[in-house]
Amino acid sequence: MRGAVLYAPGDIRVEDREDPKIMEPTDAILRLSATCVCGSDLWPYRGIEAVDRRSPMGHEYAGIVQEVGSQVTNIRPGQFVIGSFFASDNTCELCQAGYQSSCINKEPIGAGGAQAEALRVPLADGTLVATPDLPPDDLVPSLLAASDVLGTGWFATVAAEAGPGRTVAVVGDGAVGLLAVLAASQLGAERIIALSRHAPRQQLAVAFGATDIVTERGDAGVAKVKDLTSGLGAHSVVEAVGTQESMLQAIRSTRPGGHVGYVGVAHGVELPGTELFFSHVHLHGGPAPVRRFLPELIELIWTRRIDPGKVFDLTLPLEQAAEGYQAMDERRAIKTLLWP
Ligand SMILES: [Zn+2]
């Protein structure tokens, strides 16, 4: 099969890779219908995360089951399925509590590289969720978005306790931040402040339900959010970047008693204890337990009540993955969908 491999920072190649095979009786093999490039793929692509060997890339996937292991009972060949970036058994105590991305048996999907024609998914019964039927082509991008960016934005918004009567601010205008806006809208937030300086992203934020756009960053962005909230700060703030500046901006934009939902993969973030102590802010986040939300998200997409696939503003054949990475790195694209 063909698959994307990172050789070194800035050097993505699509090449022949070994076809995935059933290795455990709980595995499934998928023929991927669509895959994509994640904002978190840009950390190693930019060399901010070390690349010490040739790494298969990608952890977002949707496709058709080709084969299942002997112990798989819920998932059948021929089904269209979506899973998250961590395989999980969905039965342990942590999964049952809704934290499948901390499953005691979790396995990272990224190790197998989902930017490819096919993928091995461990713990198939716990990990994969099937759609009611084979989807029409135009629903595939939105279903793919549920695999990570939508589920992650949704979790951030739930972690930030967004809901009716509450003001939500979203720090980060990548695909996750934009879909956190959509999630906040679906959860009934009264006011949604999107922080973005890029016109196309501002437009998408408004289409997803943002009521206010703030273009300032850092302390100026904090001041603007406070201006919009009677000087108090937002009830709920989503952090979807992962830098020191964005995390502090999120904490400082939150009112005392409010909640930060942080899902940007932290790089060099250090929290000042004294400031945190006096902030009275709740912090909750981490790698999103997307599996918790998949049935609900698939239902919303299947019935066309949400259209998260709009975040894909660049669509390329898998063979052109390198251009997809470059476009996102240069912020020419919000998110790149790859057709295997
Ligand atoms: Zn588990």
Side-chain angles (χ1 to χ4, degrees), residues 155-167:
F155 168 63
T157 314
V158 169
E161 306 247 325
R166 293 175 67 98
T167 295

Side-chain angles (χ1 to χ4, degrees), residues 87-96 99-106 123:
S88 53
D89 57 23
N90 211 31
T91 55
C92 76
E93 201 170 327
L94 297 175
C95 282
Q96 289 296 300
Y99 287 85
Q100 289 90 339
S101 42
S102 277
C103 174
I104 59 169
N105 292 310
K106 73 175 179 188
L123 303 170

Side-chain angles (χ1 to χ4, degrees), residues 76-306:
R76 296 184 307 278
Q79 285 180 318
F80 187 95
V81 293
I82 300 139
S84 170
F85 46 85
F86 275 121
S88 53
D89 57 23
N90 211 31
T91 55
C92 76
E93 201 170 327
L94 297 175
C95 282
Q96 289 296 300
Y99 287 85
Q100 289 90 339
S101 42
S102 277
C103 174
I104 59 169
N105 292 310
K106 73 175 179 188
E107 290 188 47
I109 292 290
Q115 289 158 10
E117 291 177 311
L119 180 70
R120 168 184 167 257
V121 178
L123 303 170
D125 274 340
T127 305
L128 298 171
V129 179
T131 53
D133 206 339
L134 292 181
D137 288 348
D138 69 320
L139 279 189
V140 170
S142 285
L143 292 166
L144 173 65
S147 173
D148 180 357
V149 275
L150 174 62
T152 295
W154 202 277
F155 168 63
T157 314
V158 169
E161 306 247 325
R166 293 175 67 98
T167 295
V168 180
V170 178
V171 178
D173 64 357
V176 170
L178 292 166
L179 290 171
V181 169
L182 180 152
S185 175
Q186 287 290 312
L187 292 168
E190 182 171 309
R191 194 166 187 195
I192 304 168
I193 304 167
L195 289 104
S196 174
R197 299 198 285 190
H198 302 265
R201 296 171 190 239
Q202 293 170 356
Q203 286 162 15
L204 198 47
V206 169
F208 283 153
T211 54
D212 300 84
I213 300 287
V214 166
T215 55
E216 290 85 350
R217 289 173 72 152
D219 290 343
V222 173
K224 199 66 197 284
V225 170
K226 289 199 169 169
D227 280 351
L228 293 170
T229 53
S230 311
L232 301 177
H235 301 91
S236 303
V237 179
V238 167
E239 192 287 324
V241 183
T243 62
Q244 180 75 4
E245 182 188 38
S246 62
M247 190 68 175
L248 288 180
Q249 186 179 342
I251 291 168
R252 291 170 181 166
S253 299
T254 309
R255 67 176 58 192
H259 295 73
V260 176
Y262 59 97
V263 293
V265 181
H267 283 76
V269 175
E270 292 187 19
L271 300 181
T274 305
E275 180 177 346
L276 207 53
F277 181 80
F278 285 102
S279 72
H280 270 148
V281 163
H282 302 72
L283 300 181
H284 183 31
V290 174
R291 176 65 182 83
R292 187 205 307 179
F293 305 103
L294 273 180
E296 178 186 359
L297 299 179
I298 290 171
E299 167 72 12
L300 287 169
I301 294 164
W302 198 259
T303 53
R304 298 183 184 271
R305 279 176 284 167
I306 59 173

Side-chain angles (χ1 to χ4, degrees), residues 4-13 40-57 267 325:
V5 176
L6 182 66
Y7 274 66
D11 184 3
I12 284 277
R13 302 181 202 176
S40 66
D41 294 330
L42 297 180
W43 293 107
Y45 179 80
R46 289 170 172 161
I48 296 168
E49 231 168 59
V51 183
D52 51 6
R53 60 184 177 87
R54 293 177 185 179
S55 308
M57 294 296 287
H267 283 76
Y325 274 79

